[in-house]
Amino acid sequence: MTTNMIRYAVLTVIALVMAFPFYWMIMSGLKTNDEIFRMPPTLLPEHMLWNNYVDAWHAAPFARYMLNSMFVGAAIALLQVINSAMMAYALTHMQFRLKGLFTGIVLLGYMIPSTAVYLPSYLVLSKLHLLDSYSGLILSNCVSVFSIFLIRQAFLQISHELVEAGQLDGASHFRILWTMLVPLARPTFAVMILITFIEQYNNYFWTMLITKSPELQLVSAGLRSFFVEGGAYGLKWPQIMAASAFTIAPLLVLFLFTQKTIMQSVNMSAGVSK
């Protein structure tokens, strides 16, 4: 009993420490500029300035930025699910020559920094006339070595005898993959989708490199534009904090809806069944 109480107390402290930056950001959006930098700092604003959130929302097209990020992130996550599932299935439950070599090449690609392929990727998109477009943003990120590796590890935990049973019943590889393996690995796919969506939602450098139109800006680029070009540089910290708060709201909502599935994935990886 005492051990459990200590464990819960430690976990509570860790949770509060993790949540404090979000609390500080939300509360700073309700303060004045001087109050944010007051020493000693105040945990609660003297007056709740809700108009800071309204002013920040109307100061820049944040609705467009957020819709762009959600659309691009969702499209990339969907394509990565398809590509990663097919690739992982081939690497785990199909037999072909040089399978081990091909698996090694895929894993070797995971060691290459993403910045190392920015230049060739940019040149390829330029030749295909996909720069400064939604197609370029999505297609340039539709394959992820990390996602392939993650789904491969999940498929390795599924008995190959199950796949062989499906083949004996006359099921095609396509049917075995999407009606047998994918449902069994659903928690891992949920984690992959969450990681991919968050990564692409916050993508900054690559999107700034291949897009120039303000209409295509994602959240990170939009926040930078508001911070620098909107005259808010060092002057409108309450609005900056408010903008940061409502732009991460979709990610928090997504996490709340998927946390149960994430825990199932953790249990599955640890070999725990409930």
Side-chain angles (χ1 to χ4, degrees):
M1 183 67 178
T2 304
T3 304
N4 289 335
M5 291 180 63
I6 295 175
R7 183 184 298 124
Y8 290 143
V10 172
L11 292 175
T12 301
V13 171
I14 294 174
L16 291 175
V17 171
M18 297 284 290
F20 182 76
F22 297 99
Y23 171 82
W24 181 262
M25 177 177 59
I26 295 171
M27 290 296 104
S28 296
L30 299 172
K31 299 178 180 179
T32 63
N33 203 52
D34 294 335
E35 194 176 359
I36 290 177
F37 296 98
R38 181 179 299 173
M39 294 300 295
T42 57
L43 294 178
L44 290 173
E46 294 180 354
H47 303 285
M48 298 285 189
L49 302 179
W50 295 102
N51 60 298
N52 288 341
Y53 282 83
V54 178
D55 294 342
W57 181 262
H58 293 292
F62 283 107
R64 181 61 180 267
Y65 299 153
M66 294 170 67
L67 287 175
N68 285 345
S69 290
M70 287 188 287
F71 169 70
V72 171
I76 291 174
L78 176 62
L79 290 176
Q80 285 195 17
V81 166
I82 297 173
N83 293 327
S84 301
M86 292 191 295
M87 182 67 73
Y89 177 76
L91 295 177
T92 54
H93 294 290
M94 292 182 67
Q95 300 298 325
F96 54 91
R97 296 180 62 183
L98 303 179
K99 175 181 176 181
L101 176 62
F102 190 71
T103 302
I105 293 174
V106 171
L107 296 180
L108 180 64
Y110 187 55
M111 304 179 188
I112 301 176
S114 59
T115 53
V117 298
Y118 277 176
L119 179 58
S121 299
Y122 183 92
L123 294 176
V124 169
L125 291 179
S126 178
K127 293 293 185 180
L128 296 175
H129 304 288
L130 293 177
L131 293 176
D132 201 28
S133 66
Y134 285 115
S135 300
L137 284 171
I138 295 171
L139 294 179
S140 61
N141 292 285
C142 67
V143 177
S144 169
V145 178
F146 168 76
S147 297
I148 295 172
F149 179 77
L150 184 66
I151 303 304
R152 173 181 174 271
Q153 294 305 109
F155 282 0
L156 284 175
Q157 299 181 42
I158 300 175
S159 174
H160 186 66
E161 284 74 13
L162 181 65
V163 176
E164 292 178 341
Q167 293 174 343
L168 290 175
D169 287 340
S172 63
H173 288 300
F174 185 86
R175 184 175 180 183
I176 293 173
L177 171 61
W178 296 109
T179 63
M180 297 172 61
L181 269 65
V182 170
L184 290 174
R186 183 175 57 184
T188 303
F189 277 99
V191 172
M192 190 208 79
I193 291 172
L194 181 64
I195 294 174
T196 302
F197 184 84
I198 292 175
E199 178 186 5
Q200 299 304 325
Y201 186 90
N202 295 318
N203 200 340
Y204 173 72
F205 187 81
W206 176 244
T207 57
M208 289 292 292
L209 184 64
I210 66 172
T211 60
K212 300 299 180 184
S213 302
E215 295 80 10
L216 295 176
Q217 284 187 341
L218 305 188
V219 163
S220 298
L223 280 172
R224 178 189 178 277
S225 298
F226 175 64
F227 184 76
V228 178
E229 300 173 8
Y233 191 86
L235 299 175
K236 299 181 179 179
W237 282 104
Q239 286 77 14
I240 294 172
M241 291 295 184
S244 300
F246 58 64
T247 52
I248 69 169
L251 302 182
L252 296 178
V253 172
L254 179 63
F255 177 77
L256 289 176
F257 278 102
T258 57
Q259 60 178 335
K260 183 177 180 181
T261 307
I262 293 173
M263 293 307 300
Q264 291 176 355
S265 176
V266 174
N267 292 335
M268 177 181 175
S269 299
V272 177
S273 60
K274 293 186 177 181

